[in-house]
Amino acid sequence: MKFTVTHTSSDTKARRGVLETAHGTIQTPIFMPVGTLATVKTMTPEELKEIGAQIILSNTYHLFLRPGMEIMKEAGGLHKFMHWDGPILTDSGGFQVFSLAHRRKITEEGVTFRSHIDGSKQFLSPEKSIEIQHILGSDIIMAFDECAPYPATREYIEKSSERTSRWALRCKEYHGDRVDQNLFGIVQGGMYKEIRRRSADQLVAMDFPGYAVGGLSVGEPLDLMCDILDFTTDFLPKDKPRYLMGVGTPDYLFEAVERGIDMADCVLPTRNARNGTCMTSEGKLVVKNAKYAKDFRPLDPECDCYVCRNYSRAYIRHLFQTKEVLALRLASYHNLYFLLQLMERIRASVEGDYFLQYKDDFYRKYGYNSK
Amino acid sequence: MKFTVTHTSSDTKARRGVLETAHGTIQTPIFMPVGTLATVKTMTPEELKEIGAQIILSNTYHLFLRPGMEIMKEAGGLHKFMHWDGPILTDSGGFQVFSLAHRRKITEEGVTFRSHIDGSKQFLSPEKSIEIQHILGSDIIMAFDECAPYPATREYIEKSSERTSRWALRCKEYHGDRVDQNLFGIVQGGMYKEIRRRSADQLVAMDFPGYAVGGLSVGEPLDLMCDILDFTTDFLPKDKPRYLMGVGTPDYLFEAVERGIDMADCVLPTRNARNGTCMTSEGKLVVKNAKYAKDFRPLDPECDCYVCRNYSRAYIRHLFQTKEVLALRLASYHNLYFLLQLMERIRASVEGDYFLQYKDDFYRKYGYNSK
């Protein structure tokens, strides 16, 4: 993997880069659509390419439980299994073990938990997570961490963050010197700056090819997230990609890029789509609402995606009303296109050094409070 | 509309034809995918074209209730509303009024019923059905009929069939001399040959541009259906298209074509797909079954569709197991492709005059009892 920063914003920490992986080259900053269970919900890989997806994210925890590693191994890895030949990033399972699994018991060794699907007893550890991600064959793999809740005491965060660093080292050792898969470390530390700094220093000392900032966008106010993120990225090497986990609304993406983030992911654009909430250049549009029943304009008149070129709000509302699968498809397609298109424009604005101006224009039109 | 029979089988009543409509030319015999609520479930119009769909069917009863005619009128008709520019056939609503609606009351004037959606009181009559189909703008529209249940007494069928003929005449009068939309009459008569013959004679005397055979495939044995169908088509003009309603499994399609049918429709290929049952050249395959968990072959190794070229049974089973929307898409796509491909081969076999041989080969391989 090779990462090159090609432009840096003159008045912010925003940067434009190129990330080369075994399955393709990624222009950063980038949003990564989430394909939890080896499918970006409702979409085919061809459609993902059509809308400009450069890399997708998939979830170790979910794939570990279903279809399980025996099938993933026989399938020859995740790329082949799901028919996606572009870059894939997998998370470590840490987040889901701490947010989704039942009756978890954390020890230094790892985490014992009950599957949220069938209650079966399972175990994940740094080594196990990396072993799974080796089988999945993803281009970027993540160290096994604890994503601590918010709020949490300093004592809890300190203990958890120190363990995450020890786990990161075990991940790195287990991963060895493979070059086809790249292991990222995850900075934790909650909302405590000194702990964030210590976590960053510890991970940077281990020399990962990239770094994620975890434990943000977990319920804290946006201002606080921005402050902690801004502080944290200063301790990460400039020549390595930086990934903010779990962020996928336009404002969070702008704020993240402004603070030096290169990669982000989130289930929101697709989850909201399935609930009938679409993003448009003038803000959110709940297409399920009755007021769109006779609105024959596209979801977003300024959008040139397949959905906006061919379907009306009235039709899409009808599909939602009648619980038709095509509703989920069209809304998901548009939302992902909207966000990927936004990232393309953000990249152009960083390259042309008008990022803050573009952000300001977008915020005003979208209805966000300008900052 | 123009219909030309281009070839006739030397040893059966099977025929090969070309049907020209305002929205495109249809090669017959043809299977019509069903788009009940202005969408062929899970599919885009582009995908329908990709798999060779030449005409789709949509349902008057369903569209009348949702989104309703006010919206359909403002949308400029069904083609524009759903973004399908090929031919469309709409049924009359008769079948659903008699099978789906609640508390129906039949008079000579029409049928009063309660919507199966919200219990609201509704009314459909020959004139109302044609008025709705005029708003929908479908290329082929159907006369309002009663699809009688099976079994039913001779007395019931006689009365119902006579009324259907009177309703057909009212439909024709209301329809007038429009040429962009073509009104088909529907032969009824249950399993009683004399009533079938009388119904056919009455409708043929009204001179419709095409004729449907209704009231078959409603629960009777296949042999009985074949017998009644064979009898009925003899009383239909050779130079007009013949449409068998509600038929969509390979055997029923073969038997129908053999007895001179040019068009057929059914929800089964898509409904079965959504339940995880796929058609293959070696018979039905319930891809949800555990035995396919590690089967990395395509659904049908002999199929060259997008799904079979790119995905394994193991992957599709995983998608069904995890209730992913893509499962419904892939299975629907394959099943419709399979059936449309089958019809293409049937057309070639009629043209090359080896229909019975092809039928025999197909039956043996698919696991049907040869007849």
Side-chain angles (χ1 to χ4, degrees):
Chain A
M1 194 180 78
K2 194 182 152 197
F3 181 63
T4 316
V5 175
T6 56
H7 293 81
T8 308
S9 167
S10 63
D11 48 1
T12 71
K13 294 199 279 183
R15 57 221 217 129
R16 173 78 180 81
V18 178
L19 182 59
E20 292 163 66
T21 76
H23 285 88
T25 296
I26 300 154
Q27 305 296 325
T28 64
I30 188 65
F31 172 78
M32 305 182 281
V34 178
T36 298
L37 278 156
T39 165
V40 175
K41 290 191 194 303
T42 81
M43 306 275 290
T44 63
E46 284 77 10
E47 287 162 349
L48 290 169
K49 288 194 178 169
E50 193 174 279
I51 60 173
Q54 302 183 60
I55 172 171
I56 61 170
L57 181 145
S58 200
N59 296 106
T60 286
Y61 170 88
H62 290 94
L63 295 174
F64 171 60
L65 297 180
R66 293 183 302 181
M69 285 308 110
E70 209 179 311
I71 290 172
M72 287 307 316
K73 201 181 285 182
E74 283 192 40
L78 184 52
H79 288 91
K80 271 186 76 174
F81 185 58
M82 70 178 288
H83 170 55
W84 166 261
D85 61 7
I88 299 177
L89 181 151
T90 43
D91 66 4
S92 65
F95 182 75
Q96 285 75 21
V97 162
F98 287 94
S99 63
L100 207 54
H102 301 156
R103 294 169 60 186
R104 61 186 159 271
K105 208 187 136 194
I106 314 168
T107 65
E108 185 64 23
E109 178 58 17
V111 186
T112 307
F113 59 93
R114 298 279 176 171
S115 156
H116 74 290
I117 308 292
D118 61 4
S120 61
K121 199 173 168 180
Q122 305 286 350
F123 177 71
L124 275 180
S125 65
E127 291 77 11
K128 183 79 188 165
S129 170
I130 301 301
E131 183 194 342
I132 294 167
Q133 294 182 78
H134 284 171
I135 292 169
L136 295 174
S138 23
D139 302 84
I140 298 174
I141 70 178
M142 301 304 296
F144 189 68
D145 67 327
E146 177 183 359
C147 176
Y150 172 82
T153 63
R154 164 184 288 272
E155 194 192 344
Y156 183 94
I157 292 290
E158 188 150 33
K159 205 179 134 190
S160 158
S161 170
E162 290 287 341
R163 188 173 49 218
T164 284
S165 291
R166 292 191 298 275
W167 282 357
L169 189 61
R170 280 166 55 190
C171 286
K172 194 173 155 64
E173 281 168 359
Y174 189 88
H175 182 58
D177 52 7
R178 290 172 176 246
V179 288
D180 50 336
Q181 295 186 279
N182 297 277
L183 174 65
F184 280 27
I186 304 176
V187 178
Q188 291 289 353
M191 307 304 155
Y192 302 96
K193 288 185 177 172
E194 311 98 284
I195 309 179
R196 283 275 166 193
R197 177 176 189 163
R198 203 183 317 150
S199 172
D201 287 347
Q202 287 167 345
L203 291 163
V204 171
M206 297 176 206
D207 190 25
F208 288 99
Y211 299 88
V213 181
L216 289 181
S217 190
V218 288
E220 78 283 8
L222 175 56
D223 282 347
L224 179 55
M225 185 199 86
C226 289
D227 184 37
I228 299 294
L229 180 61
D230 203 17
F231 176 85
T232 305
T233 51
D234 280 343
F235 299 98
L236 297 176
K238 285 198 158 52
D239 60 345
K240 297 286 169 64
R242 301 160 182 167
Y243 159 32
L244 179 59
M245 308 178 88
V247 154
T249 54
D251 51 350
Y252 277 71
L253 290 170
F254 271 107
E255 302 303 335
V257 168
E258 186 170 337
R259 286 157 185 85
I261 287 297
D262 308 298
M263 307 160 70
D265 79 286
C266 194
V267 296
L268 272 185
T270 38
R271 182 175 293 164
N272 286 345
R274 295 195 306 280
N275 291 326
T277 299
C278 296
M279 289 179 279
T280 82
S281 48
E282 294 188 340
K284 274 197 272 187
L285 186 149
V286 185
V287 70
K288 285 203 300 191
N289 285 350
K291 67 173 171 176
Y292 299 115
K294 293 186 193 173
D295 188 336
F296 293 98
R297 286 174 296 172
L299 284 176
D300 182 357
E302 291 184 26
C303 178
D304 63 350
C305 83
Y306 164 72
V307 178
C308 289
R309 278 186 283 113
N310 298 305
Y311 303 94
S312 65
R313 295 170 182 179
Y315 180 65
I316 297 170
R317 179 186 185 262
H318 161 71
L319 296 179
F320 270 106
Q321 283 291 106
T322 53
K323 301 195 191 329
E324 285 287 347
V325 164
L326 191 59
L328 313 179
R329 288 186 63 180
L330 298 183
S332 299
Y333 187 105
H334 168 78
N335 269 7
L336 283 180
Y337 181 87
F338 182 88
L339 222 48
L340 292 169
Q341 191 68 21
L342 173 66
M343 293 311 289
E344 193 175 316
R345 288 172 185 167
I346 286 178
R347 287 196 295 274
S349 77
V350 175
E351 217 165 286
D353 213 14
Y354 56 89
F355 171 77
L356 284 179
Q357 182 58 54
Y358 177 57
K359 178 186 164 191
D360 199 47
D361 292 347
F362 182 93
Y363 273 40
R364 197 173 302 117
K365 205 164 165 191
Y366 201 83
Y368 284 143
N369 293 324
S370 267
K371 315 192 135 261
Chain B
M1 194 179 79
K2 194 182 154 197
F3 181 64
T4 317
V5 174
T6 56
H7 293 81
T8 307
S9 169
S10 64
D11 49 2
T12 71
K13 294 199 280 182
R15 56 220 218 130
R16 173 78 179 81
V18 179
L19 182 60
E20 293 164 67
T21 76
H23 285 88
T25 296
I26 300 154
Q27 305 296 326
T28 64
I30 187 65
F31 173 77
M32 305 182 280
V34 178
T36 298
L37 278 156
T39 165
V40 175
K41 289 190 194 303
T42 81
M43 304 275 290
T44 63
E46 285 76 10
E47 286 162 351
L48 290 169
K49 289 194 178 170
E50 193 174 278
I51 60 173
Q54 302 183 61
I55 172 172
I56 61 169
L57 182 144
S58 200
N59 297 105
T60 285
Y61 170 88
H62 289 92
L63 296 174
F64 171 58
L65 296 180
R66 294 183 303 181
M69 285 308 111
E70 209 179 313
I71 290 172
M72 287 308 313
K73 201 181 286 182
E74 283 193 40
L78 184 53
H79 288 91
K80 271 185 78 176
F81 186 58
M82 71 178 290
H83 170 53
W84 165 261
D85 61 7
I88 299 177
L89 182 151
T90 44
D91 65 4
S92 66
F95 182 75
Q96 285 76 22
V97 162
F98 287 94
S99 63
L100 208 54
H102 301 155
R103 294 170 59 189
R104 61 184 160 269
K105 206 186 138 195
I106 314 171
T107 65
E108 185 64 23
E109 177 58 17
V111 187
T112 307
F113 60 93
R114 299 279 176 172
S115 155
H116 76 289
I117 308 294
D118 61 6
S120 61
K121 198 173 169 179
Q122 305 286 351
F123 176 72
L124 275 181
S125 65
E127 292 77 12
K128 184 79 187 165
S129 170
I130 301 301
E131 183 194 343
I132 294 168
Q133 293 182 78
H134 283 171
I135 293 169
L136 295 174
S138 23
D139 301 84
I140 299 173
I141 71 178
M142 302 303 297
F144 190 68
D145 67 327
E146 178 183 359
C147 176
Y150 172 82
T153 62
R154 164 183 287 272
E155 195 194 345
Y156 183 94
I157 293 290
E158 188 151 33
K159 203 179 135 192
S160 158
S161 172
E162 290 287 344
R163 188 173 48 219
T164 284
S165 290
R166 291 191 299 275
W167 283 357
L169 189 60
R170 281 165 55 190
C171 285
K172 194 173 155 65
E173 280 167 1
Y174 190 87
H175 182 58
D177 52 8
R178 292 177 175 239
V179 289
D180 49 337
Q181 296 188 277
N182 297 277
L183 174 64
F184 280 27
I186 305 177
V187 179
Q188 290 290 352
M191 307 304 155
Y192 302 96
K193 288 186 179 172
E194 312 97 284
I195 309 179
R196 282 274 167 195
R197 177 175 189 164
R198 202 182 318 148
S199 171
D201 287 346
Q202 287 165 344
L203 291 164
V204 171
M206 296 177 208
D207 190 26
F208 287 98
Y211 298 89
V213 182
L216 289 180
S217 190
V218 288
E220 79 283 7
L222 175 56
D223 283 347
L224 179 54
M225 184 199 87
C226 289
D227 184 36
I228 299 294
L229 181 61
D230 203 17
F231 176 83
T232 304
T233 52
D234 280 342
F235 299 97
L236 298 177
K238 283 197 160 53
D239 60 346
K240 298 285 167 67
R242 301 161 183 166
Y243 160 32
L244 179 60
M245 307 178 89
V247 153
T249 55
D251 50 351
Y252 276 71
L253 290 169
F254 271 107
E255 302 303 336
V257 168
E258 186 170 336
R259 286 157 185 85
I261 287 297
D262 308 298
M263 306 159 71
D265 79 287
C266 194
V267 296
L268 272 186
T270 40
R271 181 175 293 165
N272 286 345
R274 296 196 305 282
N275 291 328
T277 299
C278 296
M279 289 179 279
T280 82
S281 49
E282 295 188 340
K284 273 198 274 186
L285 184 149
V286 184
V287 69
K288 286 204 299 192
N289 284 351
K291 66 174 170 175
Y292 300 116
K294 292 185 192 174
D295 187 336
F296 293 98
R297 286 174 296 171
L299 284 176
D300 181 358
E302 291 185 25
C303 178
D304 64 351
C305 83
Y306 164 73
V307 178
C308 290
R309 278 186 284 113
N310 297 304
Y311 302 93
S312 65
R313 296 171 182 179
Y315 180 64
I316 297 170
R317 177 186 186 263
H318 161 69
L319 295 179
F320 270 106
Q321 283 291 105
T322 53
K323 303 196 191 325
E324 286 287 348
V325 164
L326 191 59
L328 314 179
R329 286 186 63 179
L330 299 183
S332 299
Y333 186 107
H334 168 78
N335 270 7
L336 283 181
Y337 181 88
F338 182 87
L339 222 47
L340 292 168
Q341 190 70 21
L342 173 66
M343 293 311 290
E344 193 176 315
R345 289 173 185 166
I346 285 177
R347 287 196 295 274
S349 78
V350 175
E351 215 167 287
D353 212 15
Y354 56 89
F355 171 77
L356 282 179
Q357 182 57 52
Y358 178 56
K359 178 186 164 192
D360 199 48
D361 292 348
F362 183 93
Y363 273 41
R364 197 173 303 116
K365 204 162 165 191
Y366 200 85
Y368 285 142
N369 292 324
S370 268
K371 319 194 131 255

